[in-house]
Amino acid sequence: MRNSLIFLIFLAPFMAPFVDLQADAAPAGPLIKHLSSLLKWTRSSPKSQPQTDENVLQFENGYLVETVVEGNELGVIPHSIRVSEDGELFAVDALNNKIVRITPPLSQYSRARLVAGSFQGYAGHVDGKPSDARFNHPKGVTMDDKGNVYVADTSNLAIRKIGESGVTTIAGGKSNVAGYRDGPSEDAKFSNDFDVVYVGRTCSLLVVDRGNAALRQISLNQEDCDYQHSSISTTGFNSSFFFLLLNCLL
């Protein structure tokens, strides 16, 4: 504003003769309009352009990207994949509402075997026999030590388990309205954007509930977590005991 006044004071002596000559001949409307335009121009200041840092890339040599499996030819559109302890790939097909297993090595001859869900891609919330089970946009999968498969069935707002007895629901799914509620599994509520991760050390299922910006936890059956660890720990104990006896004898 101060700069605008200084500019008008500087301009006034030059405009005075023009005002005197035109005072009797024409109304002051055009002159006022012209001065208003000048004042508006002096008030406006150029906007500073936001500065962005340039990308700095440093490529490391020796890597190659290649397609080993075409999803359309395989009949699967994988949303996410987890690798089991024995190297099997478990893929979640969110669009076709199914979970499949793929055995490496991956190639154009790889085939997907149905773990649970619909061959035709039917959606729903049906527990029971794996081939009769129905999912609704599942987006996450994980496995425990025993080989049970847990699925983040997002549109059903539920966490499903694929085990020896078939497909069951272990948390959520009672209501079709997303929410945020802890407590007994049948009363729990999740958002419509979450994933699941198995944590063997705590024998639990970690729920990455993105929609609620929270990490949730579900305790699992201990027998499902000790299935492989028990044999490893027993072997370790026997080895330690053997070396202890050897040291005592020496």
Side-chain angles (χ1 to χ4, degrees), residues 132-208:
D132 295 334
R134 296 292 179 265
F135 299 87
N136 195 353
H137 274 73
K139 292 185 178 179
V141 64
T142 191
M143 292 79 63
D144 63 23
D145 292 335
K146 193 175 181 179
N148 297 310
V149 179
Y150 301 90
V151 180
D153 195 358
T154 53
S155 291
N156 280 328
L157 307 173
I159 296 174
R160 317 282 293 280
K161 176 183 177 181
I162 308 171
E164 295 177 351
S165 60
V167 180
T168 57
T169 300
I170 66 170
K174 191 175 181 179
S175 170
N176 59 358
V177 179
Y180 187 4
R181 180 187 297 168
D182 292 334
S185 59
E186 63 271 16
D187 296 329
K189 285 189 175 184
F190 305 97
S191 71
N192 55 9
D193 184 11
F194 63 93
D195 202 349
V196 287
V197 179
Y198 170 68
V199 184
R201 176 169 293 187
T202 58
C203 190
S204 63
L205 203 63
L206 190 66
V207 182
V208 185

Side-chain angles (χ1 to χ4, degrees), residues 13-155:
F14 298 96
M15 297 296 296
F18 179 77
V19 174
D20 292 339
L21 292 174
Q22 298 293 330
D24 297 332
L31 179 61
I32 294 175
K33 184 177 181 181
H34 184 65
L35 290 176
S36 298
S37 299
L38 288 175
L39 182 61
K40 185 181 295 185
W41 175 78
T42 56
R43 285 179 178 176
S44 62
S45 58
K47 296 181 179 179
S48 59
Q49 297 295 330
Q51 296 182 355
T52 57
D53 296 334
E54 294 183 359
N55 295 331
V56 179
L57 304 180
Q58 183 175 350
F59 281 102
E60 185 175 346
N61 296 327
Y63 294 93
L64 176 67
V65 179
E66 58 179 332
T67 300
V68 291
V69 175
E70 286 283 354
N72 292 327
E73 295 182 3
L74 192 64
V76 176
I77 304 176
H79 182 86
S80 63
I81 288 180
R82 292 288 189 275
V83 182
S84 66
E85 291 291 335
D86 55 359
E88 293 284 305
L89 274 63
F90 286 80
V92 176
D93 189 339
L95 293 179
N96 295 307
N97 304 302
K98 60 185 177 182
I99 293 86
V100 300
R101 181 202 304 256
I102 307 172
T103 302
L106 299 178
S107 70
Q108 59 179 337
Y109 303 107
S110 296
R111 293 294 178 265
R113 291 174 291 167
L114 183 69
V115 176
S118 169
F119 279 109
Q120 296 79 14
Y122 297 141
H125 191 164
V126 178
D127 290 331
K129 188 178 177 181
S131 58
D132 295 334
R134 296 292 179 265
F135 299 87
N136 195 353
H137 274 73
K139 292 185 178 179
V141 64
T142 191
M143 292 79 63
D144 63 23
D145 292 335
K146 193 175 181 179
N148 297 310
V149 179
Y150 301 90
V151 180
D153 195 358
T154 53
S155 291

Side-chain angles (χ1 to χ4, degrees), residues 217-238:
Q217 180 175 284
I218 302 174
S219 298
L220 302 177
N221 297 324
Q222 193 65 42
E223 61 181 11
D224 294 333
C225 303
D226 293 339
Y227 186 75
Q228 292 180 353
H229 291 301
S230 59
S231 60
I232 295 174
S233 61
T234 302
T235 304
F237 173 78
N238 290 337

